[in-house]
Amino acid sequence: MNFQITSEQEYQAAYNKSVDQPEEFWNDIASNFHWREKWHTTLKWNFETPDVRWFDGAKLNITENCLDRHLEQRGNKIALIWEPNDPKERALRYTYRELYQNVNKMANILKNMGVKKGDRVCIYLPMIPELSFTVLACARIGAIHSVVFAGFSANSVADRINDSQCTVVVTSDGLNRGAKQIPVKSVVDEALEHCPSVEKVLVVDRLGWPVNIHTGRDFWYHEELKTVSDQCEPTIVEAEDPLFILYTSGSTGKPKGVVHSTAGYMVYAGYSFANVFQYKESDIYWCTADIGWITGHTYILYGPLLQGATSVMFEGVPTYPDPGRFWQVIDKHSVNIFYTAPTAIRSLMASGVDHVLAYSLHTLKTLGSVGEPINEEAWHWYHTHVGKGKCPVVDTWWQTETGGIMISALSGISELKPAHAGLPLPGIQPILVDGEGNEIQGNDVEGYLCIKFPWPSMIRTTYGDHERCRINYFATYKNLYFTGDGARREANGMYRIIGRVDDVINVSGHRFGTAEIENAINQNKKVIESAVIGYPHDIKGQGIYAYVILGDLEANNNNQTRDEIIESVVEHIGRIAKPDKIQFVSGLPKTRSGKIMRRILRKVAEGELSSLGDTSTLLDPTIVDEIIAGRLT
Ligand code: WTA
C-alpha cells in the first residue's frame, strides 16, 4: 500500500494534489492494483448527461485483486472469520487460499447454471459465508450481482429481479435471527411466480429445513459442489463494465438500481478502507453491517479483501443471546477495528453499560460509525465505554451512490469532534449550495451538500433508466452531484451532516422513500389516502409516522385495521419498514392545489405545535386542529 496517509501534513498535501492534479493523484493510487492492461485515459466526465468514465482502456478482474494476488504472501492468512448467530455454534475461518477455492467453486457452479459475463444474478441470502462466496463468484465471471437484503418481502424481491432481469437467484432454506428462524426460500418461491426472467435457483442449506424443489429450476448448493473444481479462470472485464447493482430508495417511486463500475469502485474501496481505518497488516477488522447494504459490499468484502485484511462476518444480531454479544465477539476474535451503526450503539446503550463492562475490549484501536448522524450522547458512550477513551471514533459519511466513504476523520490522524463527520477524503470535493444552487463560500455556514468533481466509485447510472439517474442526482443543481443531504460547515472546515432534505426517511440506517411506504399502505382496501413522514426516534434515529384516511370511518382507531395496514407494509416492502405510529384522520392538510403540506405533518409528529406556521391558506384549515387533537405520542 503506497497510498496510506500517515500524518495531518500528508493529508493536506494529498488533498491539495487531488484537487490540483486529480488525474496524477488517482493514477498513483490505481498503480497499486493488479491490472491485466493499464488504462489510456484516467478520467472523462460530464455531469450534465451524466457520463463519467474512470481508467478507460484498462482490463482487470477485481477478484484477482481481492484473492489471487494475495496467495503468495498471504495464502495462509485468514481472510474471513465467520461468527454464527448462536455463540455455541463453531466460528468458521477461511484463509485467503480457502476463500479463493470456495469462490472458484461457486463461480463454476454459476457457470454450469448458465451464467455468463454481463448476466444479472440476484443474491437473496442471510449473512453466511456462501453470501461472500457468491458475491465474489459473480465478480470472478463478470456477472453483475444484485444483493437483496434478506429482510425484504417477496414483492420487493420480485420488483428488483424484474427491474434488472436476473436469470439466476441464489438463496437459502431459511435464516437465523436471534432466537428466531425465518423462511427464505419460500419467499423466493412466491417472488418467482412473477419473475419470468429467472431460469435457475441455487439453494444453500443453512437450517436443514425441507424446501420445495422445482425440478429443473432449483438446485442444492451442496449437491452442485460435488461436481465442480476449485479452479476458475477469472473473466477479464473492461474498467467501466458494471460490477454490481444495489437497489436503494429515493424520494420518488420504486427503489432504483444504483450501478457501480468495476475499476473505479475497486480503487476507491481499497483506498478509502486503508486510509479511514488506518488498517495495518495484522489487524482484525469487523464491520457489523449486512452485505445486503452498501456498507457490507464495500467494507466487509471488497475494501478489506483488496488490502489483504482479515474481515469478520457476523450472522447474528447485537442483542442475542444478550446485549453483550458485540463485545463478546470483539474479545473472542481479538478485534482491532470495529465499525457499526449509531442505531446499534443507541439500542445497546439503552440496555445498560454493564453488558460492555463485562468484557475487556483491550484489542480495540479504532471505532467507526456509519449510516446516519451519530448524536453526541451516543458518540461519547461509544468512545468512553467501548473505546475506553483511547480509540478514535471515525464518523463516516457516505451513500450507496458514492460507493465508499466520502467525509470522515482518518483514524488517529485527523482531529475529532463528536457528531461531526469531519473533512473530505483526498479526492473528494464537497460544496454547500443554497436553494438556487449558488455555492456558499466560507465557514460556519449551512446548505445542501453537493460534490463538484467526480471520484472513482461514484454511481454510473440507475439500471435500465439513465434519465432517472440524471434527474435524481445531476439535474437539481447544474454541474453538481446532489447528495440529498443538508450539512453545516463549521469554523474549522469540518462538515456536520444534518440529514436528508428530500422525502427519504432513514430508519435504523435503512433508507425508505415516503412515497414507497405510502404506496404499500394504500394497497390496503380500507385506505383512501395516506401521508408518511419521519420523526425523531430515540433508538432508530427516525421512526415512521403514518397519517391514514380510511374509507370506512367506523374502522377508525380499530387496532385490527392498524395491524392490517402494518401487514400491507410487511408484505409490500418487508418487516424493516413497519410504521411505528398510525394515526387515523379524516383529511390531510392540503394546499388549494392539492399538495400535501408535509411540513405541518412533520411538526405535529415532532410535537412542535407552536411553530406550525401559517395554516390559513390550506384548503381546510380545521383539519390541522383535528390532527393535533389525535396526535400519537
Ligand atoms: C445518511 C449508507 C450522517 C445520509 C452508507 C446519507 C449519514 C444516507 C452518515 C445514505 C453519517 C450515512 N452521518 N448521515 N456518518 N452516513 N448517512 O445509501 O443521510 O444506506 O444520504 O448509505 O445515510 O444511506 P445509504
Side-chain angles (χ1 to χ4, degrees):
M1 259 181 297
N2 296 326
F3 51 71
Q4 209 168 34
I5 291 160
T6 58
S7 65
E8 214 159 356
Q9 291 79 350
E10 273 181 39
Y11 165 82
Q12 205 50 58
Y15 195 85
N16 294 344
K17 179 165 183 189
S18 79
V19 174
D20 299 339
Q21 299 172 288
E23 302 199 2
E24 288 77 356
F25 175 81
W26 287 112
N27 284 344
D28 285 350
I29 289 168
S31 66
N32 288 276
F33 293 80
H34 175 72
W35 306 88
R36 287 291 185 108
E37 263 177 53
K38 287 270 160 90
W39 54 100
H40 51 64
T41 311
T42 306
L43 170 64
K44 253 173 72 181
W45 67 290
N46 174 347
F47 273 2
E48 298 250 328
T49 35
D51 184 23
V52 174
R53 304 182 67 85
W54 281 94
F55 310 115
D56 241 344
K59 293 193 196 305
L60 73 155
N61 183 288
I62 192 170
T63 68
E64 282 198 301
N65 283 275
C66 291
L67 301 170
D68 307 50
R69 71 168 166 156
H70 300 313
L71 291 182
E72 207 175 303
Q73 302 278 320
R74 305 188 179 98
N76 296 322
K77 179 175 176 179
I78 303 295
L80 207 62
I81 299 176
W82 177 74
E83 174 63 29
N85 175 67
D86 180 351
K88 292 201 264 322
E89 194 179 337
R90 197 164 59 90
L92 298 177
R93 289 178 170 76
Y94 298 87
T95 63
Y96 268 90
R97 180 158 292 103
E98 288 163 339
L99 181 60
Y100 164 82
Q101 290 163 340
N102 277 291
V103 169
N104 284 341
K105 286 189 212 169
M106 183 64 89
N108 286 326
I109 293 174
L110 294 177
K111 270 191 182 167
N112 290 345
M113 295 175 90
V115 179
K116 299 179 304 298
K117 176 171 186 277
D119 288 351
R120 277 78 55 215
V121 174
C122 171
I123 307 176
Y124 186 69
L125 277 172
M127 287 286 283
I128 54 178
E130 291 79 5
L131 169 53
S132 302
F133 305 160
T134 314
V135 167
L136 297 166
C138 287
R140 185 98 184 149
I141 61 176
I144 301 169
H145 55 79
S146 167
V147 184
V148 178
F149 173 64
F152 279 115
S153 69
N155 280 295
S156 296
V157 178
D159 282 350
R160 287 161 172 76
I161 289 176
N162 289 333
D163 185 73
S164 52
Q165 294 286 292
C166 296
T167 54
V168 165
V169 180
V170 183
T171 188
S172 66
D173 51 351
L175 64 82
N176 289 306
R177 194 179 161 75
K180 289 195 221 135
Q181 296 197 315
I182 296 168
V184 176
K185 170 64 162 58
S186 59
V187 179
V188 171
D189 287 339
E190 198 185 326
L192 293 193
E193 286 171 24
H194 313 285
C195 301
S197 63
V198 173
E199 292 159 13
K200 300 260 160 59
V201 177
L202 186 68
V203 189
V204 179
D205 177 6
R206 171 63 185 121
L207 302 179
W209 281 4
V211 301
N212 280 327
I213 291 288
H214 294 232
T215 313
R217 189 194 75 180
D218 301 353
F219 300 86
W220 282 109
Y221 168 67
H222 57 267
E223 297 290 339
E224 297 309 301
L225 258 187
K226 297 175 191 154
T227 69
V228 292
S229 111
D230 61 8
Q231 295 299 310
C232 175
E233 271 302 298
T235 300
I236 303 305
V237 305
E238 312 271 333
E240 281 296 328
D241 278 341
L243 175 64
F244 66 87
I245 304 170
L246 188 57
Y247 285 85
T248 190
S249 297
S251 46
T252 51
K254 59 184 171 73
K256 43 191 180 293
V258 172
V259 177
H260 282 288
S261 74
T262 305
Y265 175 81
M266 172 179 81
V267 168
Y268 199 80
Y271 159 79
S272 55
F273 172 75
N275 279 297
V276 170
F277 300 106
Q278 287 292 304
Y279 164 76
K280 300 281 179 299
E281 181 71 43
S282 58
D283 286 343
I284 310 280
Y285 162 88
W286 180 20
C287 164
T288 69
D290 191 292
I291 293 175
W293 311 109
I294 191 68
T295 306
H297 281 59
T298 311
Y299 298 113
I300 295 177
L301 291 180
Y302 289 112
L305 296 177
L306 285 163
Q307 299 301 354
T310 301
S311 182
V312 178
M313 175 180 185
F314 177 46
E315 183 190 31
V317 295
T319 48
Y320 178 80
D322 63 53
R325 183 70 161 127
F326 273 180
W327 324 126
Q328 180 251 331
V329 174
I330 290 174
D331 276 2
K332 176 175 175 184
H333 296 298
S334 304
V335 170
N336 307 111
I337 306 171
F338 179 67
Y339 190 29
T340 195
T343 185
I345 298 167
R346 286 191 299 261
S347 89
L348 296 177
M349 221 169 111
S351 311
V353 77
D354 290 351
H355 290 286
V356 189
L357 299 180
Y359 298 93
S360 137
L361 306 181
H362 73 278
T363 51
L364 286 174
K365 294 194 306 192
T366 291
L367 300 175
S369 168
V370 60
E372 51 174 316
I374 179 166
N375 47 310
E376 291 201 23
E377 197 190 351
W379 194 100
H380 284 296
W381 189 88
Y382 196 29
H383 186 252
T384 308
H385 298 297
V386 180
K388 312 296 179 202
K390 67 178 172 51
C391 304
V393 174
V394 292
D395 177 359
T396 64
W397 175 84
W398 59 297
Q399 310 179 296
T400 304
E401 296 85 346
T402 69
I405 296 167
M406 304 284 280
I407 301 181
S408 168
L410 310 184
S411 177
I413 292 172
S414 323
E415 184 192 338
L416 297 175
K417 197 166 172 203
H420 287 67
L423 300 176
L425 265 67
I428 304 304
Q429 300 187 34
I431 65 167
L432 298 177
V433 299
D434 64 18
E436 276 73 55
N438 304 310
E439 180 165 359
I440 303 171
Q441 306 277 355
N443 290 341
D444 222 348
V445 289
E446 192 171 315
Y448 299 117
L449 180 63
C450 293
I451 315 287
K452 72 172 176 194
F453 194 83
W455 64 103
S457 63
M458 68 185 293
I459 180 174
R460 295 300 194 269
T461 189
T462 43
Y463 193 86
D465 190 352
H466 192 64
E467 180 61 6
R468 197 161 172 210
C469 173
R470 188 184 72 79
I471 291 183
N472 259 290
Y473 306 106
F474 297 92
T476 317
Y477 304 113
K478 197 173 157 61
N479 275 324
L480 297 174
Y481 165 83
F482 176 46
T483 64
D485 280 323
R488 274 192 65 74
R489 190 168 48 233
E490 305 288 1
N492 52 11
M494 283 173 128
Y495 285 87
R496 176 178 195 146
I497 309 298
I498 297 165
R500 303 289 306 195
V501 292
D502 52 6
D503 289 324
V504 169
I505 313 183
N506 191 331
V507 185
S508 300
H510 305 322
R511 278 163 68 173
F512 299 102
T514 52
E516 194 186 347
I517 302 174
E518 286 160 10
N519 246 335
I521 292 176
N522 298 350
Q523 303 292 325
N524 184 304
K525 289 195 187 64
K526 292 182 185 163
V527 173
I528 294 196
E529 197 180 0
S530 62
V532 163
I533 53 117
Y535 70 97
H537 186 288
D538 284 349
I539 305 281
K540 300 181 186 182
Q542 281 192 296
I544 300 174
Y545 196 122
Y547 297 89
V548 174
I549 307 176
L550 294 177
D552 172 8
L553 288 181
E554 310 262 298
N556 272 9
N557 293 322
N558 178 331
N559 281 337
Q560 190 194 331
T561 312
R562 230 177 230 122
D563 289 347
E564 285 170 19
I565 289 173
I566 290 176
E567 203 33 56
S568 294
V569 176
V570 171
E571 190 185 323
H572 289 277
I573 304 176
R575 57 191 147 77
I576 45 178
K578 279 187 196 171
D580 297 276
K581 295 180 183 175
I582 299 176
Q583 180 181 348
F584 296 121
V585 294
S586 69
L588 291 166
K590 289 188 179 172
T591 60
R592 285 175 209 274
S593 60
K595 196 169 167 308
I596 298 174
M597 295 289 284
R598 288 177 183 276
R599 185 179 50 79
I600 294 177
L601 294 175
R602 214 170 281 134
K603 294 270 183 206
V604 174
E606 288 169 3
E608 290 193 23
L609 306 178
S610 58
S611 56
L612 290 182
D614 183 14
T615 55
S616 64
T617 57
L618 293 175
L619 199 59
D620 175 8
T622 62
I623 204 71
V624 177
D625 299 328
E626 181 206 305
I627 289 177
I628 292 174
R631 185 170 87 89
L632 301 172
T633 50

